[in-house]
Amino acid sequence: QVQLVESGGGLAQAGGSLRLSCAASRSIFSIYSMGWYRQAPGNQRELVATLTRGSTTNYADSVKGRFTISRDNAKNTVYLQMNTLKPEDTAVYFCNAYDGSTYWGQGTQVTVSS
């Protein structure tokens, strides 16, 4: 069982940066995969980035080269560094963990103005 709490969302200008954090309630070392998803109003929830236990990363084409997922095992925290933000990045961002079961955080709002 894993509880996830996101933070770091807010308002940014187009071209700016934000860093999202996802704090897990226990060690993330053994979790198969952690990641970030987002959902804009009227849209389906979509994958942004994932990071496996073996340190394999996967990114949506729309964020490749701009976003970076990373983790700090000592802090039980996964990060999403978002650079060169675009208005279309505006969404609620959700942290995800998979260890045989799937867990979700409550989400954090990211708004990018032009």
Side-chain angles (χ1 to χ4, degrees):
Q1 187 79 322
V2 183
Q3 285 75 49
L4 306 170
V5 180
E6 303 96 334
S7 62
L11 179 65
Q13 299 290 327
S17 298
L18 287 172
R19 188 179 74 162
L20 306 183
S21 298
C22 173
S25 61
R26 65 169 176 85
S27 174
I28 62 173
F29 180 79
S30 62
I31 295 177
Y32 296 156
S33 180
M34 298 196 69
W36 291 93
Y37 294 71
R38 67 187 181 188
Q39 187 168 22
N43 291 347
Q44 296 183 344
R45 188 171 298 185
E46 64 177 355
L47 180 149
V48 177
T50 59
L51 176 64
T52 71
R53 183 171 57 189
S55 298
T56 299
T57 57
N58 185 46
Y59 296 94
D61 288 342
S62 59
V63 307
K64 284 182 179 177
R66 300 189 298 119
F67 291 9
T68 303
I69 187 170
S70 62
R71 66 177 172 236
D72 185 336
N73 289 334
K75 296 183 180 294
N76 296 334
T77 300
V78 173
Y79 303 96
L80 184 69
Q81 179 67 46
M82 305 185 293
N83 297 326
T84 319
L85 284 163
K86 303 176 180 180
E88 52 262 44
D89 295 320
T90 296
V92 177
Y93 284 71
F94 297 90
C95 185
N96 167 269
Y98 178 73
D99 67 354
S101 297
T102 300
Y103 307 94
W104 294 98
Q106 294 299 305
T108 185
Q109 177 71 48
V110 171
T111 302
V112 183
S113 62
S114 59

